[in-house]
Amino acid sequence: MTYHFSKTVNLPFDSAVAATTEALKRHGFGVLTQIDVKDTLQKKIGADFRPYLILGACNPKMAYEALMLEDRIGTMLPCNVIVQQRDANKVEVSAVDPVASMNAIDNPGLGKVASQVRTLLKQVIADIG
């Protein structure tokens, strides 16, 4: 089983980030966190890295359902979505597969929520570009 859904788009990096954020909003997600990996690696260890952004996305309704079923599920939230430069003309957008993440937890109700989130995240990725 793969642990992510990905799509490569022909957009400038910043446009891909904006398109991803908008697609997340259309499907009920907000961006709670944003980690600029390129900037962090440069500041912390002086490494030169390609543009790479981690968006911590959350669908409040789905998060609430998951928390009601499993109070420690917050260790696996929010859902990470990455936007990374592949080459001068290509940007890849990837989202975690929540079903793969939740396989370690024996809770059938949580599996149903993860499947719903998976469907939404697949739609987000399909909408970009």
Side-chain angles (χ1 to χ4, degrees), residues 41-52:
L41 292 176
Q42 180 61 47
K43 286 178 182 173
K44 299 290 184 182
I45 62 172
D48 187 27
F49 198 72
R50 68 187 173 276
Y52 191 112

Side-chain angles (χ1 to χ4, degrees), residues 8 12 25 55 65 108:
T8 301
K25 283 181 189 174
L55 303 173
E65 286 183 38

Side-chain angles (χ1 to χ4, degrees), residues 25-113:
K25 283 181 189 174
R26 283 193 303 276
H27 294 283
F29 292 86
V31 175
L32 300 177
T33 60
Q34 188 168 311
I35 301 167
D36 185 334
V37 174
K38 176 185 173 73
D39 183 58
T40 300
L41 292 176
Q42 180 61 47
K43 286 178 182 173
K44 299 290 184 182
I45 62 172
D48 187 27
F49 198 72
R50 68 187 173 276
Y52 191 112
L53 193 66
I54 302 172
L55 303 173
C58 179
N59 180 304
K61 181 182 178 297
M62 297 286 104
Y64 177 73
E65 286 183 38
L67 287 163
M68 295 306 293
L69 292 164
E70 191 76 38
D71 68 347
R72 291 180 191 91
I73 200 62
T75 61
M76 300 176 121
L77 299 176
C79 296
N80 284 333
V81 177
I82 63 171
V83 181
Q84 65 176 312
Q85 190 76 51
R86 282 300 185 188
D87 64 34
N89 300 314
K90 304 272 188 223
V91 174
E92 183 181 74
V93 182
S94 302
V96 67
D97 180 348
V99 172
S101 297
M102 302 299 162
N103 271 342
I105 302 167
D106 185 22
N107 184 327
L110 191 60
K112 288 180 187 176
V113 174

Side-chain angles (χ1 to χ4, degrees), residues 7 19 23 26-27 122-129:
K7 179 178 187 178
R26 283 193 303 276
H27 294 283
K122 281 185 171 185
Q123 291 170 353
V124 166
I125 297 299
D127 284 358
I128 300 166

